[in-house]
Amino acid sequence: MLARDGPDAQAFRGSLVFFNYCVTCHGPNADGNGRAARLYDPRPANLRASDKNLAYMRLIVRRGGKAMNRSEFMPPWGEELTDEQIDDVTVYLQSINDRVAAGPK
């Protein structure tokens, strides 16, 4: 069982946000290969290989790609998601990015 407010719980909640809002473009593996990815140029980012820090990820989720001089197709989620959901999804993305960087065990 997850601790209610621990980092694992936050990453779990973030995975729920990701699979509800981000998976269509970024894909179930967060590698930029979602069902809708082929419709966009540039394609959605491979979030598993991101070098962005949590603060930047929060901003792009909140403001969208165009406001951050990135893809205009990345929508701004700041009006739809709560601050907690944005924090949770960025922690989730950081956690999967950390696992990729660590490599196989």
Side-chain angles (χ1 to χ4, degrees):
M1 181 145 85
L2 296 174
R4 180 185 143 112
D5 292 324
D8 289 340
Q10 190 174 21
F12 175 75
R13 291 191 312 265
S15 73
L16 299 176
V17 174
F18 180 85
F19 282 97
N20 278 293
Y21 291 90
C22 314
V23 72
T24 303
C25 294
H26 291 285
N29 296 316
D31 58 5
N33 291 312
R35 288 180 299 143
R38 63 184 171 80
L39 303 174
Y40 300 109
D41 185 19
R43 290 178 64 92
N46 177 351
L47 302 174
R48 296 183 76 84
S50 177
D51 62 353
K52 305 302 185 225
N53 63 35
L54 285 174
Y56 183 89
M57 286 192 278
R58 284 185 193 105
L59 284 174
I60 198 164
V61 171
R62 182 171 284 113
R63 297 180 182 174
K66 187 173 183 178
M68 301 295 292
N69 294 317
R70 305 280 304 225
S71 172
E72 65 185 279
F73 302 113
M74 168 65 188
W77 291 107
E79 296 294 319
E80 175 115 6
L81 300 175
T82 66
D83 288 343
E84 181 181 42
Q85 287 174 307
I86 291 170
D87 287 346
D88 290 348
V89 76
T90 56
V91 166
Y92 168 71
L93 294 173
Q94 187 75 51
S95 76
I96 62 173
N97 195 291
D98 290 346
R99 284 193 303 250
V100 169
K105 294 188 178 205

